[in-house]
Amino acid sequence: MRVAAAGDGPWLDDAAGRLVRPFTVSGGRTRPSVALDLMSQVMATGATPLGYLGPEHALALDLTRAPVSVAEIAAHLKLPAAVTKVLLSDLLDCGALTTKPPEYHHIPTDRALLEAVLDGLRRQL
């Protein structure tokens, strides 16, 4: 059994998987203080966050050196999107991150786009 050190990323065990449950990562909080869309772009400001940061906060901050979406950060951290949003809102609250809403260059309900997504899903099945 290998247990990663606190600085090695999420605490994992080869056999058991994640040793820390997602709700403990967010301190039991289920709602972010800032409304974030999965496609919202976040980026580090360079400001040093005050107070305690958990290892997941530090990893999220490291991932945001360049603009990155909330969904991508959740995937890299291997955490549910809801938990990731809480972590990112902590970093936004302390000024370590900045965010901007997603930019839609098309109509989000464009029929051609929806049909292309449906075709792609059908090919996967």
Side-chain angles (χ1 to χ4, degrees), residues 94-114:
C94 71
L97 287 183
T98 186
T99 185
K100 66 177 186 174
E103 294 179 13
Y104 292 107
H105 298 291
H106 60 279
I107 301 169
T109 56
D110 180 21
R111 183 175 177 94
L113 173 65
L114 295 174

Side-chain angles (χ1 to χ4, degrees), residues 54-79:
E56 287 82 4
H57 285 95
L59 286 171
L61 194 55
D62 189 48
L63 291 169
T64 59
R65 291 182 184 159
V68 63
S69 72
V70 171
E72 288 178 79
I73 294 170
H76 284 290
L77 295 178
K78 296 181 179 145
L79 287 172

Side-chain angles (χ1 to χ4, degrees), residues 9-57:
W11 297 342
L12 299 172
D13 175 277
D14 288 338
R18 180 177 286 280
L19 297 177
V20 177
R21 296 291 176 223
F23 63 86
T24 60
V25 171
S26 65
R29 294 171 292 143
T30 58
R31 300 227 159 125
S33 60
V34 178
L36 291 169
D37 185 275
L38 286 175
M39 296 305 295
S40 293
Q41 298 286 306
V42 292
M43 184 173 171
T45 61
T48 304
L50 301 175
Y52 172 74
L53 284 181
E56 287 82 4
H57 285 95

Side-chain angles (χ1 to χ4, degrees), residues 79-95:
L79 287 172
V83 174
T84 303
K85 288 179 181 181
V86 171
L87 295 176
L88 294 175
S89 72
D90 291 345
L91 293 168
L92 283 162
D93 290 343
C94 71

